[in-house]
Amino acid sequence: MKKYIAIALIATGTAAFAHSGVKDPDVMNRMMGMSALADQMKVIGSMAKGQMDFDADAVNTALAKMSKEASYIPSLFEKKALDPKSEALPVIWDEFDTFTARAKDLEAVTGSLAGTIETAADLGPAMGQIGKACGACHADFRAK
Ligand code: HEC
């Protein structure tokens, strides 16, 4: 448990402010875990759009971080914690195996991409694969 609370805390700053109305600490932690993933995606996206200089090492590092963060998702959601501000659907806890499998997919996709990014042209296809893994879980388990 300690491990990803630390990660979530490192990851956020601004997200913590956006979540100021959230009272449940478990809900807060999992939102911060998601924000950490989104932050890494933003770095990759900025480079893909040319808003940030391409840096293969930074992308490969971001991907490795995302894989690690994804590995924490099942434990972040293990407890059925609810909050009026949460977008988590209760079906998560009825179908926790599927939910976990979606997290494992993201872990595997990002893990296998880490270290493979060599040029800016690699970014688009990588983002497509990752986005699919995020979306596959959000489609069933996150309120839209
Ligand atoms: C295994 C399922 C799963 C995967 C994979 C997943 N998410 Fe999520 N995500 C959720 C759930 C569930 C919520 C709603 C959490 C809540 O509000 O309590 C969420 C919420 C979010 C949020 C909103 C957090 C907030 O501030 O409230 C962002 C941003 C997000 N996800 C980004 C991503 C990105 C980017 C990826 C892929 C790199 C990803 N997620 C992969 C399940 C997942």
Side-chain angles (χ1 to χ4, degrees):
M1 192 47 134
K2 260 187 205 138
K3 233 177 359 189
Y4 40 81
I5 291 176
I7 294 248
L9 288 179
I10 292 164
T12 38
T14 52
F17 179 70
H19 298 150
S20 55
V22 176
K23 302 221 167 55
D24 188 299
D26 292 302
V27 172
M28 183 64 111
N29 275 333
R30 72 197 187 204
M31 284 178 167
M32 286 185 172
M34 284 296 151
S35 299
L37 283 169
D39 286 347
Q40 308 298 343
M41 271 301 252
K42 234 177 265 167
V43 170
I44 302 174
S46 304
M47 287 187 204
K49 286 188 215 144
Q51 293 165 344
M52 199 189 267
D53 286 342
F54 176 70
D55 177 345
D57 286 344
V59 178
N60 288 314
T61 302
L63 288 166
K65 269 194 207 156
M66 289 177 84
S67 184
K68 199 154 201 162
E69 285 155 8
S71 76
Y72 301 141
I73 294 175
S75 24
L76 280 173
F77 282 88
E78 209 163 32
K79 195 172 141 203
K80 182 171 182 175
L82 302 169
D83 187 287
K85 293 227 169 174
S86 173
E87 297 168 331
L89 295 176
V91 69
I92 291 171
W93 296 281
D94 298 333
E95 294 174 17
F96 203 70
D97 288 351
T98 310
F99 183 80
T100 299
R102 300 276 158 81
K104 290 250 174 273
D105 285 347
L106 178 63
E107 183 184 347
V109 164
T110 46
S112 65
L113 284 168
T116 68
I117 303 296
E118 291 176 350
T119 72
D122 296 332
L123 296 176
M127 286 186 66
Q129 278 190 60
I130 300 165
K132 234 184 248 169
C134 309
C137 187
H138 289 169
D140 290 336
F141 296 113
R142 181 186 177 190
K144 279 152 283 224

